[in-house]
Amino acid sequence: MLQRHVRAWTGKATRQLSAMASSQSPVTSNTPMEDAIRAKITEAFQPSRLEIFNDSSKHAHHRPMIGSTSKETHFRLVITSEAFKSKMQPARHRLVYQLLKDEMAQDGGIHALQLRTMTPEEEQRQKEREQQKESSAA
């Protein structure tokens, strides 16, 4: 008996929540440029690691940024992907720049992009080196 009441209540609550969600206007992001970067890189490279740092506030006082209303102009990306295998750093960077060319070309778009691109094997070697440094320092 109790289970029937719980199921009925749960079903009603679920229907109400889904109705509320569908009647609301779509949610707009406070970080549209970061969202675009994340979507494009995820789709193109299927990264095992993707870190996006918005460093725009550190550069807001620079002369080219004066008068800019965009809060998303300077980014630092760390990308680990199998797609970078057998490619040198310049080729990897060209791939990313090509992918984000529209975001870089638009007014108020990306002004500066710092890249750290690695393969999973390179990332693993880096972690091992850092662990060796920590253990030898201790």
Side-chain angles (χ1 to χ4, degrees), residues 13-14 26 28 46 49 51 56 59 61 94 109-110 123-124 129-130:
T14 303
T28 57
Q46 291 101 33
R49 175 182 175 197
E51 294 181 47
S56 302
H59 302 277
H61 65 282
R94 280 192 298 272
I110 299 172
E123 183 179 38
Q124 182 60 37
R129 281 192 301 269
E130 290 171 0

Side-chain angles (χ1 to χ4, degrees), residues 8-49:
W9 181 82
T10 307
K12 184 178 177 183
T14 303
R15 284 189 301 277
Q16 287 174 339
L17 287 173
S18 68
M20 286 171 49
S22 64
S23 68
Q24 293 176 350
S25 62
V27 177
T28 57
S29 173
N30 290 329
T31 58
M33 188 64 66
E34 182 177 335
D35 295 344
I37 292 169
R38 184 175 313 283
K40 284 188 168 189
I41 288 177
T42 300
E43 183 180 332
F45 302 122
Q46 291 101 33
S48 57
R49 175 182 175 197

Side-chain angles (χ1 to χ4, degrees), residues 52-64:
I52 301 175
F53 302 91
N54 184 346
D55 293 334
S56 302
S57 63
K58 297 176 184 176
H59 302 277
H61 65 282
H62 293 179
R63 179 167 285 153

Side-chain angles (χ1 to χ4, degrees), residues 65-117:
M65 297 297 99
I66 294 174
S68 174
T69 58
S70 177
K71 302 293 183 214
E72 296 185 285
T73 56
H74 293 69
F75 289 94
R76 186 169 28 107
L77 308 180
V78 179
I79 309 167
T80 301
S81 173
E82 290 284 343
F84 297 139
K85 268 193 173 165
S86 74
K87 291 179 177 54
M88 301 297 287
Q89 287 293 335
R92 296 172 185 182
H93 290 203
R94 280 192 298 272
L95 287 172
V96 176
Y97 277 103
Q98 180 64 30
L99 185 68
L100 300 175
K101 69 180 178 187
D102 293 338
E103 287 74 12
M104 296 181 83
Q106 72 186 48
D107 190 35
I110 299 172
H111 174 76
L113 189 59
Q114 180 182 353
L115 300 174
R116 172 89 172 109
T117 55

